[in-house]
C-alpha cells in the first residue's frame, strides 16, 4: 500500500515511517544489521545509498516517462531536504489460531445480563428514576455518574406514554451487573453486552470479541505488533524505552492498536463501542508495562525486578485505553509472576486447567515458545516456572528468510524423492519461512545427513546418504552457498534458503528451552518420563510438528505421545477471565503459588545449555 511520508532534512526514512505509525519489520531495531526494513520508495528528496535497486513502476503506467521506484533499507536512507517520499509498505494480515477447544469452566458470569421493567413514576410517589432502578433490581447503583447519564439517554429515547399510563414496555431496560457489584446499562433490550479478550505478544496482537451473556465468540482478529519497529525481542524494546519520546510512542501505539482492533471488530459485527463492558488483557511483563505506561528498565537488568506483577481492574480514567468504550467499561490486566514469566503463561495455565487442584494430566509442562520461552511445571507438590531466552528464531525474526506465521510463509517442510517439498500458509507463492517450517527443515536435513549433530551444513553427509541409497536423502542440486557459506534451498521458485546462521539461531533457541525444562524437572525431582502431559502454547506451538521438535532435541524424546498443541492459550485464558467471575482471582492464586527459578548465573543451566546445543545423532 502506498503512503505519502514527510520528513526533515537528515532524518532517517525509518524514523519517519515509525512516526507515521506504519508497520515496519525491524528485528534489529533500526541498527542496520537485519536487512528487513526494506521498502519501495519514490522521491527525489531521499539520498541514493549504494546498493539500492531501482525498477520501473508507478500508479499510472500510461505516463510517457516511467516513474522510478527504488528498493531501500529505510534505516540507511535519509531525507536530503525537507520533503516527502511516496513509500510502498507491504501489509500482510496475521493469522490467528483457532479458538481454544477445551470447555469453558463452570462458574458465575463475570457480567450478569438481565432485563428489568422500570416502574412508572406517579405524582404521589415521584422520587428519582435512579431510585426506581435500584428498587427494581435490588442493587445499589454506586457513586458513578455514568449510569444516571445512560439512564437519562435511554429514557429520552423510549419516552413514556401520557402521564400515568401503564406503558411499561417502553421502560424495559437491559442491565449488566459487573464483578464488584457495579450496575450499568447495556443500551437497550436488543443490545447484548460485549467483552473482549486480548493477548499482546511481542510479535502478534490477537483480539477476540465475545457476547458476555452467552460466551459466543463474535469476531476475532490478529495484527503484527506495532512496536516491531523497535526490535524483535523484549530487550530491544526495553532499550528503545530509554528515550522518553520513543517510550511514549511505544506505549500510545500499542494502546491505540488494541482500541482500534476492538472497535473494528465491534463495528464489523454491527455493535456500538459502548456495548463493550469488559476488556481483559494478557501478555508478557514487558508488553504490559509498556501498555500501562510504566517504564520497564528493571526487567532488563539484574536482579530483573518488574515494577508490578499483580492484577489490575481499571476504570476508564485509569485504563490505557481511556474512555473509548464508555465510562462503565472495565479494563482488566491479568497477573504475571516475574520479570519474564507473565500474564500470558498464567492465563494459559488457567485455560489448560492447571494449578487448580489435582489433575490426572499432572505432572504437566506448559511451554509458550515465542520470542521468550516461558515454561511452567505443575506437580501435586506445587508449581515451578522459568523463562529461557530463546530469541526470535521461533517467530522467524532472526532467520535470513524468516517470516511470522502469515500468508506466504512456508509452515511445513519434508523430504520427498530426493528433494524438498513444502506447504505455504495461504497456498500462494512462498515469500519466506516461519517457525514451524524452520523446525521441519532442520529435522529433515538431520535425517538426510545434510546437517550434522554440531549444526554444520555438510554436503558430504548428504552425498553419502544418496550414494548409500538411503530413502531419506537430498540431491546435490538442493545445496548451494549464501554469502560464502553453505546453504540449502527450500523453495527453488522463490529461492528461499536455510542458511548456516539460521541453523545456529535454531540451536541457540532450542538449547535454551531444553535446558530450562531440564532445570525445572531437576528442581522438582522428576524425570522426563514422569511428565504426563506437555502443552505447547502459542501460534508457533499450534503449527509445530511434534516429530520435528523431538527430532532436533527441542523437546525430550520421552515426551513422545504426550504432547498437546493448545493454540493461543493466553487469549483463551483472557476469554475465561472476561466471561467467568472469580477467574481473575484464580489467576492471582496460580501466580502467587508458583515459584520462579532464575536461570542466569546457574552453573547447572550453563552445563545443560551446552549439552543441548548439539542435535541428536539419530531419530528418537
Amino acid at each position: 500500500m502506498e503512503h505519502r511520508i514527510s520528513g526533515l532534512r537528515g532524518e532517517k526514512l525509518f524514523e519517519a515511517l515509525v512516526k507515521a505509525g506504519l508497520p515496519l519489520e525491524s528485528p534489529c531495531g533500526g541498527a542496520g544489521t537485519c536487512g528487513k526494513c526494506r521498502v519501495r520508495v519514490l522521491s527525489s528528496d531521499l539520498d541514493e545509498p549504494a546498493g539500492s535497486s531501482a525498477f520501473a513502476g508507478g500508479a499510472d503506467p500510461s505516463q510517457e516517462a516511467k516513474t522510478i521506484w527504488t528498493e531501500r533499507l529505510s534505516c540507511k536512507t535519509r531525507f536530503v531536504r525537507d520533503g516527502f517520499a511516496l513509500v510502498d509498505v507491504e501489509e500482510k494480515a496475521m493469522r490467528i489460531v483457532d479458538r481454544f477447544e477445551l470447555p469453558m469452566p463452570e462458574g458465575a458470569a463475570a457480567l450478569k445480563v438481565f432485563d428489568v421493567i422500570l416502574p412508572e413514576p406517579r405524582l404521589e410517589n415521584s422520587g428519582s428514576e435512579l431510585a426506581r432502578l435500584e428498587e427494581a433490581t435490588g442493587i445499589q447503583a454506586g457513586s458513578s455518574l455514568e449510569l444516571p447519564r445512560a439512564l437519562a439517554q435511554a429514557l429520552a429515547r423510549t419516552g413514556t406514554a401520557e402521564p400515568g399510563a401503564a406503558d411499561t414496555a417502553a421502560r424495559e431496560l437491559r442491565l449488566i451487573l459487573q464483578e464488584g457489584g457495579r450496575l450499568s446499562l447495556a443500551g437497550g433490550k436488543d443490545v447484548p453486552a460485549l467483552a473482549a479478550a486480548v493477548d499482546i505478544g511481542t510479535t502478534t496482537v490477537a483480539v477476540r470479541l465475545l457476547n458476555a451473556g452467552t460466551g459466543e465468540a463474535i469476531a476475532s482478529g490478529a495484527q503484527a505488533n506495532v512496536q516491531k519497529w523497535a526490535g524483535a525481542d523484549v530487550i530491544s524494546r526495553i532499550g528503545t524505552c530509554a528515550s522518553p519520546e520513543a517510550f511514549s510512542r511505544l506505549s500510545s501505539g500499542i494502546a491505540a492498536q488494541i482500541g482500534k482492533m476492538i472497535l473494528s471488530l465491534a463495528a464489523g459485527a454491527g455493535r456500538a463501542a459502548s456495548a463493550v463492558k469488559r476488556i481483559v488483557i494478557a501478555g508478557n511483563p514487558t508488553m504490559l508495562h509498556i501498555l500501562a505506561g510504566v517504564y520497564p528498565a528493571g526487567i532488563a537488568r539484574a536482579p530483573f525486578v518488574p515494577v508490578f506483577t499483580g492484577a489490575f481492574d481499571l476504570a476508564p480514567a485509569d485504563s490505557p485505553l481511556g474512555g473509548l468504550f464508555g465510562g462503565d467499561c472495565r479494563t482488566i490486566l491479568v497477573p504475571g509472576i516475574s520479570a519474564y514469566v507473565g500474564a500470558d503463561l498464567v492465563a494459559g495455565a488457567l485455560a489448560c486447567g492447571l494449578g487448580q487442584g489435582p489433575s490426572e494430566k499432572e505432572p504437566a509442562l506448559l511451554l509458550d515458545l515465542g520470542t521468550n520461552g516461558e515454561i511452567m511445571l505443575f506437580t501435586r507438590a506445587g508449581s515451578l516456572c522459568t523463562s529461557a531466552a530463546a530469541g526470535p528464531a521461533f517467530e522467524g525474526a532472526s532467520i535470513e528468510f524468516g517470516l511470522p506465521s502469515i500468508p506466504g510463509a512456508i509452515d511445513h517442510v519434508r523430504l520427498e524423492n530426493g528433494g524438498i517439498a513444502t506447504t505455504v500458509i495461504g497456498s500462494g507463492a512462498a515469500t519466506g519461512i516461519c517457525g514451524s517450517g524452520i523446525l521441519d527443515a532442520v529435522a529433515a536435513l538431520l535425517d538426510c545427513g545434510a546437517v550434522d549433530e554440531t549444526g554444520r551444513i555438510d554436503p558430504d553427509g548428504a552425498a553419502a546418504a544418496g550414494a548409500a541409497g538411503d530413502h531419506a536423502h537430498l540431491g546435490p542440486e538442493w545445496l548451494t552457498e549464501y554469502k560464502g557459506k553453505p546453504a540449502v534451498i527450500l523453495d527453488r521458485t522463490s529461492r528461499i534458503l536455510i542458511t548456516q546462521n539460521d541453523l545456529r539461531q535454531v540451536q541457540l533457541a532450542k538449547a535454551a528451552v531444553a535446558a530450562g525444562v531440564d532445570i525445572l524437572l531437576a528442581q522438582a525431582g522428576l524425570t522426563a518420563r514422569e511428565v504426563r502431559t506437555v502443552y505447547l502454547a502459542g501460534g508457533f506451538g499450534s503449527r509445530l510438528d511434534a516429530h520435528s521438535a523431538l527430532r532436533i532435541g527441542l523437546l525430550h524424546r520421552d515426551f513422545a505421545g504426550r504432547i498437546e498443541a493448545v493454540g493461543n492459550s493466553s487469549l483463551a485464558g483472557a476469554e475465561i477471565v472476561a466471561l467467568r467471575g472469580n477467574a481473575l482471582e484464580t489467576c492471582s492464586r496460580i501466580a502467587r503459588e508458583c515459584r520462579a527459578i532464575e536461570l542466569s548465573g546457574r552453573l547447572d543451566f550453563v552445563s545443560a545449555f551446552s549439552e543441548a546445543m548439539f542435535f541428536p545423532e539419530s531419530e528418537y
Side-chain angles (χ1 to χ4, degrees):
M1 183 178 292
E2 295 178 9
H3 302 269
R4 183 184 173 98
I5 304 298
S6 62
L8 303 175
R9 182 177 181 272
E11 184 178 21
K12 286 184 178 181
L13 178 59
F14 178 89
E15 296 166 350
L17 289 168
V18 169
K19 287 180 181 177
L22 292 179
L24 191 63
E25 197 74 42
S26 181
C28 70
T33 59
C34 71
K36 293 196 174 184
C37 64
R38 191 176 298 275
V39 294
R40 299 193 316 157
V41 302
L42 173 66
S43 177
S44 59
D45 296 328
L46 298 172
D47 59 9
E48 294 285 348
S52 63
S53 59
F55 54 92
D60 185 3
S62 67
Q63 293 177 344
E64 292 183 6
K66 287 185 177 180
T67 306
I68 302 300
W69 288 82
T70 57
E71 201 170 68
R72 309 280 190 87
L73 287 179
S74 63
C75 65
K76 294 187 175 181
T77 303
R78 294 182 182 271
F79 285 85
V80 295
R81 63 183 66 84
D82 294 355
F84 74 91
L86 194 62
V87 182
D88 186 11
V89 179
E90 186 175 15
E91 300 179 34
K92 289 188 175 181
M94 302 296 288
R95 183 186 184 193
I96 190 168
V97 297
D98 293 336
R99 194 179 189 200
F100 199 73
E101 292 299 329
L102 290 183
M104 181 71 62
E106 297 295 328
L111 297 174
K112 182 181 178 182
V113 182
F114 59 99
D115 296 327
V116 63
I117 296 175
L118 198 61
E120 194 74 22
R122 304 290 180 187
L123 286 173
E124 63 273 16
N125 183 23
S126 55
S128 73
E129 296 284 20
L130 189 60
R132 243 182 299 282
L133 184 64
E134 291 178 341
E135 181 183 354
T137 62
I139 302 166
Q140 293 297 308
S143 58
S144 169
L145 284 172
E146 188 62 30
L147 182 59
R149 289 169 180 156
L151 180 58
Q153 291 173 356
L155 294 175
R157 284 195 302 270
T158 59
T160 61
E162 296 178 4
D167 187 9
T168 55
R171 295 170 61 81
E172 187 169 340
L173 303 173
R174 174 154 289 178
L175 294 122
I176 303 165
L177 180 63
Q178 303 194 34
E179 280 190 289
R182 291 179 294 274
L183 195 65
S184 60
L185 198 63
K189 183 179 178 182
D190 298 320
V191 181
L194 303 179
V198 181
D199 171 53
I200 313 176
T202 312
T203 303
T204 308
V205 178
V207 176
R208 183 160 282 130
L209 194 65
L210 306 159
N211 183 314
T214 66
E216 174 194 4
I218 296 173
S220 302
Q223 294 179 0
N225 189 319
V226 293
Q227 301 172 344
K228 64 182 182 178
W229 61 268
D233 56 76
V234 295
I235 298 301
S236 298
R237 306 271 173 94
I238 294 171
T240 302
C241 289
S243 160
E245 181 185 356
F247 178 40
S248 176
R249 189 175 297 134
L250 285 171
S251 183
S252 61
I254 190 63
Q257 181 177 25
I258 292 170
K260 289 177 182 176
M261 289 178 72
I262 297 173
L263 287 172
S264 176
L265 293 177
R271 311 293 167 82
S274 59
V276 180
K277 301 298 182 182
R278 188 173 173 92
I279 299 170
V280 177
I281 303 175
N284 68 55
T286 299
M287 294 300 101
L288 292 189
H289 274 61
I290 294 175
L291 171 69
V294 176
Y295 187 42
I299 293 175
R301 58 173 182 251
F304 312 112
V305 180
V307 176
F308 67 88
T309 56
F312 287 92
D313 183 347
L314 304 171
D318 294 325
S319 170
L321 304 183
L324 282 175
F325 304 97
D328 54 357
C329 178
R330 309 295 296 189
T331 300
I332 314 294
L333 302 187
V334 178
I337 297 173
S338 67
Y340 292 101
V341 180
D344 47 358
L345 207 62
V346 172
L350 176 73
C352 293
L354 298 172
Q356 300 166 56
S359 169
E360 62 181 16
K361 292 197 170 186
E362 295 179 2
L365 276 166
L366 172 61
L367 292 87
D368 192 336
L369 303 181
T371 304
N372 181 47
E374 296 176 86
I375 311 164
M376 294 181 81
L377 173 63
F378 294 87
T379 73
R380 295 194 175 186
S383 56
L384 301 169
C385 67
T386 193
S387 64
F394 296 147
E395 306 274 350
S398 62
I399 304 300
E400 190 69 35
F401 294 88
L403 290 175
S405 298
I406 60 177
I410 295 172
D411 61 347
H412 288 294
V413 175
R414 68 183 185 278
L415 294 172
E416 188 175 276
N417 300 324
I420 289 176
T422 64
T423 63
V424 177
I425 297 175
S427 303
T431 56
I433 183 168
C434 67
S436 59
I438 293 162
L439 259 63
D440 281 359
V442 175
L445 296 177
L446 286 167
D447 283 344
C448 70
V451 169
D452 65 21
E453 68 274 10
T454 70
R456 181 177 64 91
I457 295 178
D458 182 10
D460 293 337
D470 195 324
H471 73 281
H473 68 281
L474 189 66
E477 67 274 15
W478 293 88
L479 299 168
T480 186
E481 284 194 353
Y482 184 78
K483 296 181 179 179
K485 295 182 179 180
V488 179
I489 301 169
L490 298 178
D491 186 285
R492 301 173 78 175
T493 302
S494 302
R495 196 69 179 178
I496 307 299
L497 312 177
I498 187 165
T499 70
Q500 185 62 70
N501 182 64
D502 294 341
L503 286 159
R504 297 301 180 216
Q505 295 298 319
V506 171
Q507 284 179 280
L508 290 168
K510 75 100 176 177
V513 172
V517 169
D518 285 346
I519 296 301
L520 287 191
L521 291 175
Q523 288 288 308
L526 296 173
T527 65
R529 190 177 297 276
E530 293 175 280
V531 175
R532 294 184 177 181
T533 317
V534 179
Y535 295 99
L536 292 182
F540 167 67
S542 70
R543 280 176 286 277
L544 179 148
D545 186 315
H547 171 88
S548 296
L550 295 165
R551 176 65 182 91
I552 73 169
L554 170 63
L555 300 178
H556 199 284
R557 61 183 61 192
D558 284 340
F559 294 158
R562 309 176 202 178
I563 300 169
E564 294 185 23
V566 292
N568 192 335
S569 60
S570 174
L571 185 64
E575 286 187 58
I576 294 173
V577 175
L579 296 173
R580 289 289 179 265
N582 299 321
L584 186 62
E585 175 53 37
T586 301
C587 285
S588 295
R589 183 174 53 76
I590 291 171
R592 188 169 56 247
E593 295 177 355
C594 187
R595 181 162 66 95
I597 305 295
E598 175 55 51
L599 298 179
S600 60
R602 293 181 64 107
L603 293 179
D604 53 353
F605 175 73
V606 173
S607 175
F609 179 84
S610 299
E611 184 177 342
M613 278 290 290
F614 290 91
F615 290 119
E617 292 186 23
S618 59
E619 188 172 340
Y620 65 93

